[in-house]
Amino acid sequence: MPKILQQTGGDVVEIILADHRWFEEALRELRDVQADRAAVLADLATVLIAHAEAEESKVYPSLRRKDAIDSEEVEHSEHEHDEGNEALLALMEVEDTASEEFGEKTHELSEALSHHLDEEERDVLNPARTDVSADDRVKLGEAFATERARLIESGCGSIENVRKVVEKAKG
């Protein structure tokens, strides 16, 4: 099981990329029938919710103000977070981690997440790397890491909170 990364700061692009690689490893673990799937899912839910919420509150608005991304990119990324959160909730609601349904829902989450990671790395992180100064990326990295840690500490990955996040997104 990949250990939850407790990041403290650095270049925001590198911090987000580290989370992305962690998500991919966690998804591999979820597909492993020998793994403690419930524990992997609990950690994945926590980091995924914290990561997305911190991006939406700290990273996207800052990159938007610096003209590294436009409002369409922000809206698209937030929409993909919503889709990923719905897939996450559907997986969390499966009671038997050894069931075929768990495998199917893991696949759906994996598809949604892989698509988002790929697009975000291309369309958000690449412009952040080229259009935002190194100093600003480090300041943003600290803000992101601090918010992410606060959310992790708050238990943001609980099924109750994931339900709230999904409901809020549906309006």
Side-chain angles (χ1 to χ4, degrees), residues 1 4 9 29 32 65 91 104 120-121 131-132 149 152-153:
M1 172 65 212
I4 292 179
E29 290 274 328
D32 180 355
R65 280 192 304 275
L91 179 59
E104 290 166 5
E120 185 173 77
E121 288 174 18
D131 300 352
V132 178
I152 288 171
E153 287 299 311

Side-chain angles (χ1 to χ4, degrees), residues 15-142:
I15 295 170
I16 290 173
L17 287 172
D19 270 2
H20 288 185
R21 301 300 74 84
W22 188 92
F23 295 142
E24 291 165 348
E25 180 61 31
L27 288 167
R28 276 191 288 280
E29 290 274 328
L30 275 181
R31 289 189 285 270
D32 180 355
V33 294
Q34 304 298 313
D36 181 350
R37 288 171 156 179
V40 174
L41 181 56
D43 284 351
L44 178 60
T46 298
V47 179
L48 197 55
I49 294 292
H51 175 95
E53 298 276 318
E55 278 184 338
E56 289 182 18
S57 67
K58 303 296 179 191
V59 179
Y60 297 163
S62 179
L63 294 179
R64 178 77 191 90
R65 280 192 304 275
K66 295 178 184 315
D67 289 326
I69 58 176
D70 62 25
S71 57
E72 270 182 42
E73 277 305 330
V74 172
E75 207 172 285
H76 184 72
S77 292
E78 289 176 350
H79 176 71
E80 288 185 344
H81 285 169
D82 295 342
E83 290 176 340
N85 292 340
E86 283 184 42
L88 173 66
L89 180 59
L91 179 59
M92 293 173 83
E93 289 176 336
V94 176
E95 289 181 24
D96 181 2
T97 60
S99 69
E100 192 175 313
E101 183 186 13
F102 189 88
E104 290 166 5
K105 298 297 181 192
T106 296
H107 179 73
E108 289 169 19
L109 175 60
S110 182
E111 291 287 309
L113 202 48
S114 296
H115 171 82
H116 173 65
L117 301 183
D118 178 55
E119 279 195 1
E120 185 173 77
E121 288 174 18
R122 247 194 350 253
D123 302 336
V124 176
L125 299 183
N126 281 342
R129 199 180 264 130
T130 57
D131 300 352
V132 178
S133 75
D135 282 351
D136 284 346
R137 289 195 315 270
V138 168
K139 285 181 193 140
L140 195 47
E142 285 177 30

Side-chain angles (χ1 to χ4, degrees), residues 155-168:
C156 67
S158 71
I159 194 163
E160 298 80 16
N161 189 61
V162 175
R163 278 192 186 112
K164 281 184 205 156
V165 168
V166 169
E167 286 306 311
K168 183 178 162 206

